[in-house]
Amino acid sequence: MGRVYLCLGKNAEVPYYFERARAHVWNIEELCYFVRENAWLLEPAVLGKELIDWVREQCALPDLARMLAAAMQEEKPVMGFVKALFYYTGYCSMEEAGQVEKILRLNESTSALERSKARGDYFLESKKFVLALQEYEELLQQLKGMEPSFLGKIYHNCGVAQAQMFWFEKAAASFERAWKLTKNEASARQFLAAKRLELGEVDYVAFLADHPDLYEASLQLEEQVQSCNDTWKQSEDAVFVLHATEALKDGAAHICRQMLQERLEPLQEAYRSCVVR
């Protein structure tokens, strides 16, 4: 049986919106969950007066609001805010609270650039590709003083997001910059994978002929492609395509269309979620 959380205060009439995370919270339990799951994002500017006023007015928790306001005056306001929140609500176990505090201590030792990259990485892992690119592009406007290895990681992750959105030409350019900055083999393979999807077979072969330095990476990529093909043949998607093809050959085009529609609808919804701004 999972933990049971005691509801405090009330649901807000107007949710609180965390702009950087593109997330709404409607009550104090959702705020606790957000803080626990997004500890890396927390900064004094994120936990400001507007949030405390929202706790007081929308959640009807004036005592907690006073505690949070006092915590924000401490030497380490973010740590104080989180401790006060979890103490008042009892939302987290001691172990969970300890993990959040550990992340907050790590945040104190990281730069604003590293925290910004962490936000982009969070969106990338959450498949919010447009939001990830927005974070990374803001970082890339601050090129001065960045280590090549750090910059290379940003370009690599830009390429991942762009490829997921089928922007293969842009993805190839990002992976190429990452590879040139870091000489990372994964970036080289991803660069070639994007070029392979961007170009036709003849043009891709010609491209490889002009880039002998990528020969080994191209061999590794072809091994990965073959492995993916073999895996796909055993997947549910392959079975679905087979059944749809058989329905079409049997003259049951309407069944084929129905099967495709049922399959496409959740994919379309997933894509819309990925590109939300």
Side-chain angles (χ1 to χ4, degrees):
M1 182 175 178
R3 294 189 62 184
V4 176
Y5 296 109
L6 178 64
C7 295
L8 300 172
K10 66 177 185 178
N11 282 340
E13 294 181 7
V14 179
Y16 190 82
Y17 181 60
F18 288 97
E19 185 174 359
R20 278 293 188 183
R22 308 303 198 270
H24 291 88
V25 295
W26 288 88
N27 53 50
I28 204 65
E29 286 74 30
E30 289 186 7
L31 175 60
C32 290
Y33 177 83
F34 176 87
V35 166
R36 187 187 69 186
E37 297 299 313
N38 299 279
W40 52 267
L41 179 143
L42 301 179
E43 297 176 346
V46 176
L47 308 174
K49 182 178 183 299
E50 288 185 3
L51 176 57
I52 294 172
D53 289 343
W54 178 83
V55 170
R56 178 187 300 107
E57 297 165 10
Q58 292 291 326
C59 297
L61 293 169
D63 292 340
L64 174 58
R66 282 193 291 272
M67 291 174 62
L68 297 177
M72 293 302 290
Q73 304 303 314
E74 297 178 6
E75 182 180 353
K76 296 182 178 181
V78 175
M79 186 75 76
F81 183 102
V82 172
K83 284 184 175 180
L85 178 66
F86 288 164
Y87 173 79
Y88 186 92
T89 61
Y91 182 85
C92 284
S93 66
M94 291 183 64
E95 182 179 356
E96 289 172 329
Q99 287 297 318
V100 173
E101 290 181 22
K102 181 179 179 180
I103 294 172
L104 294 179
R105 284 193 293 271
L106 288 174
N107 277 354
E108 292 173 358
S109 63
T110 60
S111 67
L113 291 178
E114 290 171 320
R115 291 194 295 273
S116 183
K117 179 180 176 296
R119 284 193 293 269
D121 294 347
Y122 167 78
F123 289 132
L124 184 62
E125 292 169 4
S126 302
K127 301 186 184 299
K128 306 292 186 182
F129 303 124
V130 170
L131 299 181
L133 286 172
Q134 288 175 353
E135 288 289 344
Y136 294 140
E137 285 166 3
E138 286 181 19
L139 270 174
L140 292 175
Q141 293 174 7
Q142 309 172 51
L143 297 178
K144 187 176 179 181
M146 280 193 195
E147 292 289 333
S149 59
F150 185 75
L151 187 56
K153 291 176 183 177
I154 297 171
Y155 275 116
H156 182 96
N157 289 355
C158 279
V160 173
Q162 289 159 340
Q164 291 282 2
M165 296 173 69
F166 306 100
W167 298 349
F168 299 123
E169 184 176 358
K170 291 182 178 181
S174 295
F175 286 129
E176 182 178 20
R177 295 198 70 171
W179 169 56
K180 289 182 176 179
L181 282 164
T182 65
K183 298 303 177 185
N184 183 282
E185 292 182 359
S187 294
R189 289 194 300 273
Q190 297 282 41
F191 169 45
L192 289 178
K195 294 299 289 187
R196 196 174 189 270
L197 291 165
E198 173 197 350
L199 303 172
E201 183 176 351
V202 174
D203 289 338
Y204 177 66
V205 172
F207 170 80
L208 287 179
D210 292 334
H211 294 80
D213 53 331
L214 288 166
Y215 177 72
E216 288 298 328
S218 71
L219 293 180
Q220 294 171 8
L221 174 62
E222 293 310 311
E223 289 180 1
Q224 286 184 304
V225 170
Q226 184 59 54
S227 176
C228 288
N229 284 336
D230 293 341
T231 300
W232 184 83
K233 290 175 183 177
Q234 307 299 321
S235 69
E236 291 183 5
D237 289 332
V239 174
F240 167 79
V241 170
L242 177 62
H243 289 168
T245 302
E246 289 175 348
L248 188 61
K249 287 180 179 179
D250 292 340
H254 64 288
I255 295 177
C256 182
R257 284 195 296 270
Q258 182 180 350
M259 292 172 66
L260 288 172
Q261 185 62 33
E262 291 174 354
R263 195 73 167 190
L264 286 174
E265 283 179 359
L267 295 176
Q268 290 170 334
E269 285 301 315
Y271 182 77
R272 292 188 188 102
S273 175
C274 291
V275 300
V276 67
R277 292 180 181 274

